[in-house]
Amino acid sequence: MQNLGIAITGSGSAVPATFLDNQSLTQLVETTDEWISIRTGIRQRRLAKPSETITDLATAASRQAIAMAGINPHDVDLILLATSTPDDLFGSACKIQAQLGATKAVAFDLTAACSGFVFGLVTAAQYIRTGVYQNVLLIGADILSRWVDWQDRRTCVLFGDGAGAVVIQANEKDCLLGFELRSDGTQNNCLNLACTPEPTELTQGVKVGKGNFQPITMNGKEVYRFAVQKVPEVIDKALFRANLSVEQIDWLLLHQANQRILDAVRERLNIPEHKVISNLANYGNTSAASIPLALDESVRQGKIKPSDIIATSGFGAGLTWGAAIFQWGR
Ligand code: UT7
């Protein structure tokens, strides 16, 4: 009898050692610690040194997750790296596979911006539920500091770098209780890290576009409005699929974008404050890393316990958004 359910059995995380607090940002742009704290809840962020890579952060987080799950790198069948900032546009998952020595694993990148972890969780579950794979390593990792315009106060105060990972295993009981994923490309222009090819003439009449990425641009107000409206909707939908009510949620674990978004979603869903997981004061918005990073911290602090029911939701560029309801552990 095959185990066609899924269980999340291990977590890990890694962040760069370098801190940048709000006060230090006032040396770069016209801002204040007060503005950033009140409008976002962020107090500091971690920033990768030029020599630090997504591969290194992701590998460190993965080793912890694999150890907690009590498996071996050779047991991993699939590595999914959710990231928008790979070390290499061809993907970074294979390098992580090599560094881990996960010789049997097939590895690829998955891009869904700040929704990447939730989209990855659901993707991993499909491979396990169909009986194809038994052990999946899902990583959310981003180094957005490489792609931020450090002169743009509307965006540079928000982001930080980090990685989080989970091991998802085949299990008799299915701990992914419900999910809902959505995309809306008509609002794509709200949040971009776009390639604007530079016209380059190769020979007479033959032009190509030389790769040239622009820093992050964002319509903050629109993204804020979108998140506060859409996130409660998908959580409600995922809860409906799980046949659960809001009261049965032990933890609300949202993408750590802005404390005001966390508060507004919590209020709309009528979830008590003590059930909300928030660590963005320390890390800022780490994009695909934010959910697994907060999950790992809460598990290691003993806040999240086996069988706790977690409602998670990612939202961001694409636009993409999604929610999953899962139980921690087997
Ligand atoms: O992963 C998903 C990624 N993105 C998000 O989740 C972002 C969602 N949006 C937000 O979190 C908020 O919209 C922001 C935090 C980005 C901005 O907060 P806001 O309350 O929407 O501020 P605002 O854009 O309406 O700006 C208010 C004022 C403006 O000045 P005026 O026009 O009123 O004179 C801005 O120019 O604040 C000014 N401002 C700043 N002032 C000091 C914008 N950024 C800063 C800053 N420091 N860093």
Side-chain angles (χ1 to χ4, degrees):
M1 187 36 198
Q2 255 184 316
N3 289 333
L4 295 179
I6 72 129
I8 306 179
T9 56
S11 67
S13 57
V15 289
T18 310
F19 287 89
L20 188 77
D21 63 14
N22 292 347
Q23 196 53 42
S24 306
L25 274 168
T26 64
Q27 295 167 32
L28 293 175
V29 287
E30 202 183 321
T31 191
T32 58
D33 174 32
E34 195 193 5
W35 192 96
I36 303 169
S37 303
I38 291 173
R39 299 272 179 153
T40 72
I42 300 165
R43 296 193 173 273
Q44 61 181 35
R45 65 287 292 143
R46 302 293 188 100
L47 301 179
K49 291 188 175 63
S51 59
E52 278 179 299
T53 63
I54 277 288
T55 306
D56 291 339
L57 287 174
T59 303
S62 299
R63 287 203 172 109
Q64 293 177 5
I66 288 170
M68 192 189 285
I71 59 167
N72 246 288
H74 330 285
D75 299 325
V76 178
D77 302 302
L78 170 67
I79 298 174
L80 292 174
L81 170 65
T83 189
S84 306
T85 55
D87 300 324
D88 180 329
L89 271 188
F90 286 146
S92 292
C94 293
K95 273 191 89 175
I96 298 166
Q97 181 239 28
Q99 287 199 5
L100 289 172
T103 45
K104 188 173 86 173
V106 62
F108 60 91
D109 290 24
L110 180 156
T111 306
C114 303
S115 307
F117 182 80
V118 174
F119 280 37
L121 175 61
V122 173
T123 305
Q126 306 315 304
Y127 282 104
I128 293 175
R129 285 174 170 177
T130 49
V132 178
Y133 296 133
Q134 276 70 54
N135 298 307
V136 181
L137 173 66
L138 167 64
I139 307 151
D142 268 306
I143 302 187
L144 280 179
S145 64
R146 301 221 160 125
W147 302 101
V148 157
D149 176 356
W150 287 101
Q151 307 300 313
D152 178 6
R153 69 176 184 172
R154 293 165 303 170
T155 52
C156 76
V157 302
L158 301 175
F159 299 105
D161 304 332
V166 292
V167 169
I168 306 167
Q169 294 188 270
N171 196 48
E172 203 175 336
K173 176 172 135 196
D174 199 344
C175 297
L176 178 60
L177 307 172
F179 69 84
E180 171 76 3
L181 305 181
R182 303 296 304 271
S183 304
D184 179 6
T186 64
Q187 290 200 75
N188 180 263
N189 61 356
C190 288
L191 184 47
N192 303 94
L193 203 179
C195 181
T196 51
E198 204 178 290
T200 308
E201 189 151 19
L202 293 185
T203 60
Q204 204 182 4
V206 179
K207 271 191 190 163
V208 289
K210 199 171 153 215
N212 177 36
F213 280 89
Q214 300 302 308
I216 294 171
T217 56
M218 181 177 72
N219 182 334
K221 277 209 177 310
E222 274 306 313
V223 176
Y224 187 95
R225 250 196 300 271
F226 143 77
V228 167
Q229 188 199 338
K230 300 293 186 186
V231 170
E233 281 177 18
V234 279
I235 291 178
D236 267 339
K237 197 74 179 263
L239 278 170
F240 174 76
R241 298 230 164 93
N243 199 18
L244 291 172
S245 64
V246 171
E247 295 73 36
Q248 289 171 286
I249 296 173
D250 293 304
W251 301 105
L252 180 66
L253 172 51
L254 302 182
H255 164 51
Q256 305 283 300
N258 183 326
Q259 188 60 44
R260 282 158 57 215
I261 295 178
L262 270 57
D263 293 341
V265 170
R266 178 190 74 71
E267 271 168 36
R268 282 198 184 198
L269 289 169
N270 204 14
I271 292 176
E273 220 173 322
H274 69 266
K275 290 188 174 182
V276 177
I277 291 173
S278 172
N279 70 354
L280 59 82
N282 295 328
Y283 302 109
N285 177 346
T286 57
S287 194
S290 87
I291 294 173
L293 182 58
L295 174 70
D296 182 53
E297 273 196 359
S298 304
V299 167
R300 284 174 196 276
Q301 288 163 358
K303 264 168 89 168
I304 292 180
K305 297 192 175 56
S307 297
D308 277 359
I309 294 175
I310 300 162
T312 191
S313 176
F315 51 89
L319 296 178
T320 55
W321 66 107
I325 314 294
F326 66 92
Q327 267 185 302
W328 172 252
R330 286 187 190 276

